[in-house]
Amino acid sequence: MEDLLDSAPCGVMAFDLSGRIFLNNATFCSLLGYTDEELKGCKVDFILTMSSRIFHQTHFLPMIKLQSKVEEIYLTLRGKNGESIPTLASATRKMIGGIDAVLCVFMSVRQRGKYEDEILAAKRKAEDALLNNEELRASKLELEWRTQELDRHLSSLERRNLELRQLHEILSHDLKEPVRRISAFSDMISQDMTNVLSEESKDALSRIHKGCLRVNELFKVLQEFLAADCNGDVIEEVNLNSVLSIAVKRVANHETMMPVVKVDELPRMEGYGSQLVTLFEILLRRSINQARDNAALVQIQSKIVQENSYRQVAGKYRFVNFLQLTYRDESSTLDGEDFDAVFELLGRRNHDEVDVGLAICRKIAQNHHGSIKLEANSKGNAIFTVLLPLRDICKISVQEQTLS
Amino acid sequence: MIIVSVEDNEDDAWLLKRAWAKAEINEPLRFLPSGKEAMKFITEEVQNTTNSLSPEPVLLFLDINMPGMNGFEFLQWLRAHPELTRIPVVMLTTSENPNDIKKAYALGANAYLIKSNTLSELAAMFSAAHKFWIRYNKFDLK
């Protein structure tokens, strides 16, 4: 029987109520790495880790005294080499050789500990995955909502675009035609009846004719503005040096004095080539008009800057490369112009002039998701700063996602 | 010789008639009110040409914006028939849209004129067109 106890597959130990160990089996000694002699007479606390000691004092012993037994208590023993040995302990109070003792059995649960650690790790991983999944689902829901919102905006824009195209067609023909006929009829009356009409009547007809010309001019200006759109245009790689060269040639064809343009080497970018030609053309014409009888002096510089690609959504930031074009008109000075109002549609300097050029420039810049502004330097020269994204913003986001 | 103006608007037709008269052109200007009417007229004229008593039209002024069959659609129909390609077509319209100008030439128009706001300008335009197409130009006769 003693042999069986000694070689039992669990540690057996007994201690008296003062906590002194007086009985060990070989398995217990082997578990801790001590000899029987080394353990006998030691306090139980000696073979417990700090946390197990506290547990022993606060739970284990009180339960033994109260219930005379405890079962499946997790205790960590401290081996001779300092190793922590997880065990599952059961104990009972009984008289052993006349001593009121606590007889304990210890089962090593190293493997179980490993399994429990693995289970805990797996549980944490599952919880993380669930949390990520929750975050993913929330992101997905938000994406779905944003997509719906985008779809609503696109539908609204499409509808407005259609209305603008219809308005363009009406301007091009249905509104223009009656005005043209009024002008033609009044001219006809004026010519055919010149001997019969009074001076007052002739004057009235002349005013009618001028009014019609003015309305026609307005129609033309509005048509130009509406035509400065992306319908049919394709984003392409554009060499801005070539764009500027074409614009200069166009201006030189119609104007008497060639502008003098000092320009740094301009980069390539993606954009609407024909619209960018128009933008430069309008600025050059403006410079020529301002210079009057002298040659317009223009300096164009460029550099790459970082700007927020989000234009409308507040609180969102993604800084991307923009091309900053600085167009300095050195041959004229600004005379009290409202730097923002000049870009408004039908901004005019006096009642006889109708000017839509800079409004078209702004539209072209906006078509490229860019901007244009006007400032004056210390000499009063006009400086137009045009910001154009260097690459298509949507392409950037797709490529960034692909790379990540 | 028959000179035809395809014009749907009565007011414009009246003005063009007055301008033609002011230009003192001998040949009458015949008005057709729609692309479909023009189609019907030219088809009949071509058929009549076989008896050599009625000549087919030699000059055609064509408006663009017309209800039903517009000027472009008529021009496309005209140029699709090999026997009708010899008829010179001069677009006569208010549209200064570069796309319309491009499209007209692409479909086979021979010239593109913008209707003026004044009668005298219209008359001068008709006079010049008549001089070029009728007096100086040589037609491909059957």
Side-chain angles (χ1 to χ4, degrees):
Chain A
M1 189 63 182
E2 270 194 39
D3 288 340
L4 277 175
L5 188 65
D6 216 26
S7 58
C10 56
V12 179
M13 182 269 282
F15 60 89
D16 61 25
L17 289 183
S18 72
R20 290 210 182 271
I21 300 170
F22 66 90
L23 180 73
N24 307 294
N25 73 346
T27 308
F28 188 70
C29 294
S30 169
L31 185 64
L32 295 179
Y34 287 109
T35 62
D36 186 45
E37 288 73 30
E38 282 172 329
L39 281 176
K40 274 186 179 152
C42 289
K43 287 277 230 180
V44 165
D45 285 351
F46 180 70
I47 58 160
L48 295 174
T49 59
M50 186 56 72
S51 53
S52 290
R53 278 183 210 171
I54 295 169
F55 189 79
H56 172 73
Q57 293 293 332
T58 57
H59 286 77
F60 190 87
L61 271 183
M63 281 168 71
I64 286 283
K65 285 175 179 171
L66 197 64
Q67 296 169 2
S68 299
K69 70 170 182 181
V70 291
E71 287 174 341
E72 295 183 29
I73 299 293
Y74 185 84
L75 281 176
T76 309
L77 305 179
R78 191 163 60 98
K80 188 176 180 182
N81 60 2
E83 183 194 357
S84 295
I85 304 159
T87 63
L88 210 59
S90 296
T92 184
R93 188 174 173 183
K94 65 182 291 146
M95 297 299 286
I96 301 176
I99 302 172
D100 191 359
V102 178
L103 179 64
C104 306
V105 169
F106 295 92
M107 288 281 292
S108 171
V109 290
R110 278 196 186 96
Q111 284 302 318
R112 182 184 163 128
K114 274 189 198 165
Y115 294 145
E116 280 180 0
D117 287 343
E118 280 171 17
I119 288 170
L120 275 171
K123 189 182 170 198
R124 265 195 295 275
K125 208 170 171 183
E127 280 168 359
D128 286 345
L130 202 63
L131 190 65
N132 287 340
N133 202 28
E134 282 300 316
E135 286 174 356
L136 193 64
R137 277 199 351 217
S139 298
K140 205 175 163 185
L141 276 171
E142 198 187 341
L143 180 65
E144 180 67 29
W145 176 75
R146 293 263 179 220
T147 305
Q148 284 177 8
E149 211 186 350
L150 181 65
D151 185 65
R152 276 194 290 273
H153 282 306
L154 282 172
S155 299
S156 171
L157 284 171
E158 187 60 41
R159 196 180 60 246
R160 285 182 198 179
N161 214 23
L162 182 65
E163 286 165 4
L164 278 173
R165 280 200 291 268
Q166 287 169 346
L167 182 65
H168 188 193
E169 279 172 32
I170 291 170
L171 275 177
S172 300
H173 184 258
D174 296 298
L175 278 176
K176 225 169 132 180
E177 284 293 282
V179 173
R180 186 187 58 80
R181 282 176 210 130
I182 292 170
S183 177
F185 284 132
S186 64
D187 175 67
M188 195 189 80
I189 293 170
S190 156
Q191 288 202 16
D192 284 2
M193 301 180 76
T194 191
N195 297 330
V196 177
L197 288 172
S198 66
E199 286 306 315
E200 220 175 47
S201 300
K202 284 180 194 171
D203 184 40
L205 284 170
S206 169
R207 285 171 193 274
I208 290 171
H209 185 66
K210 275 186 194 161
C212 291
L213 287 177
R214 173 105 172 108
V215 171
N216 271 334
E217 186 61 31
L218 278 168
F219 281 142
K220 201 173 165 191
V221 149
L222 288 173
Q223 267 183 283
E224 273 177 33
F225 182 77
L226 287 172
D229 234 322
C230 303
N231 289 333
D233 287 350
V234 175
I235 285 192
E236 54 187 348
E237 192 176 297
V238 171
N239 183 335
L240 286 175
N241 298 297
S242 306
V243 159
L244 180 60
S245 173
I246 294 169
V248 169
K249 275 183 195 155
R250 279 195 193 168
V251 162
N253 282 340
H254 291 98
E255 310 297 335
T256 52
M257 200 75 85
M258 270 280 282
V260 175
V261 181
K262 284 187 279 183
V263 58
D264 297 341
E265 183 70 17
L266 297 175
R268 289 176 176 270
M269 60 168 283
E270 288 186 356
Y272 300 106
S274 59
Q275 290 190 21
L276 291 170
V277 170
T278 302
L279 185 144
F280 278 114
E281 194 181 335
I282 290 170
L283 292 179
L284 285 167
R285 283 195 201 284
R286 186 181 182 279
S287 299
I288 290 169
N289 287 341
Q290 295 268 316
R292 296 180 196 278
D293 297 326
N294 304 315
L297 298 168
V298 167
Q299 188 173 21
I300 302 174
Q301 290 170 314
S302 69
K303 68 177 180 181
I304 296 171
V305 297
Q306 288 266 308
E307 287 284 332
N308 185 12
S309 63
Y310 286 101
R311 294 295 185 181
Q312 294 295 330
V313 180
K316 291 284 275 183
Y317 300 93
R318 187 150 68 83
F319 285 89
V320 297
N321 285 339
F322 272 68
L323 176 68
Q324 183 180 288
L325 286 167
T326 311
Y327 178 104
R328 186 161 68 224
D329 184 353
E330 296 177 353
S331 54
S332 65
T333 52
L334 292 172
D335 52 350
E337 282 179 72
D338 183 336
F339 292 164
D340 289 325
V342 292
F343 294 106
E344 295 298 318
L345 187 60
L346 300 182
R348 55 192 78 170
R349 284 189 289 277
N350 59 56
H351 288 295
D352 292 333
E353 283 184 30
V354 176
D355 188 3
V356 76
L358 291 181
I360 292 176
C361 286
R362 184 170 70 174
K363 196 175 188 190
I364 290 171
Q366 287 170 345
N367 285 345
H368 288 82
H369 305 290
S371 63
I372 183 170
K373 67 176 180 183
L374 171 64
E375 295 166 308
N377 65 5
S378 53
K379 296 177 194 168
N381 299 143
I383 300 179
F384 290 94
T385 306
V386 183
L387 280 173
L388 301 169
L390 268 181
R391 290 179 64 193
D392 186 61
I393 306 245
C394 294
K395 273 190 199 169
I396 288 173
S397 65
V398 167
Q399 284 177 359
E400 280 177 352
Q401 282 169 24
T402 309
L403 285 170
S404 65
Chain B
M1 278 190 234
I2 295 181
I3 306 173
V4 171
S5 173
V6 188
E7 172 61 60
D8 66 305
N9 185 273
E10 277 182 30
D11 291 337
D12 268 346
W14 194 86
L15 275 167
L16 293 176
K17 195 173 174 184
R18 290 297 300 267
W20 191 263
K22 194 177 168 75
E24 294 176 341
I25 296 169
N26 288 334
E27 292 83 357
L29 180 62
R30 187 163 182 163
F31 286 91
L32 298 167
S34 67
K36 280 210 171 107
E37 285 290 317
M39 217 165 79
K40 189 175 156 198
F41 173 79
I42 285 173
T43 310
E44 283 167 0
E45 277 303 307
V46 168
Q47 282 169 355
N48 287 340
T49 306
T50 54
N51 66 19
S52 78
L53 289 176
S54 300
E56 61 187 52
V58 294
L59 185 58
L60 198 144
F61 292 99
L62 180 60
D63 190 13
I64 293 178
N65 291 298
M66 295 184 290
M69 190 184 218
N70 67 29
F72 288 138
E73 286 162 348
F74 171 77
L75 185 56
Q76 197 165 16
W77 169 84
L78 190 75
R79 293 305 186 223
H81 293 78
E83 67 275 21
L84 301 176
T85 53
R86 67 168 64 86
I87 299 176
V89 173
V90 176
M91 307 304 291
L92 184 58
T93 174
T94 51
S95 173
E96 295 179 67
N97 188 334
N99 290 334
D100 282 346
I101 298 174
K102 202 181 261 187
K103 189 171 179 180
Y105 281 112
L107 290 172
N110 298 90
Y112 195 103
L113 300 177
I114 306 290
K115 287 178 191 168
S116 172
N117 288 347
T118 66
L119 197 67
S120 29
E121 270 285 310
L122 271 174
M125 200 185 296
F126 274 144
S127 180
H130 176 267
K131 206 182 254 185
F132 177 81
W133 287 107
I134 305 299
R135 246 214 265 171
Y136 294 122
N137 182 51
K138 296 295 174 196
F139 288 98
D140 175 19
L141 299 169
K142 267 194 179 171

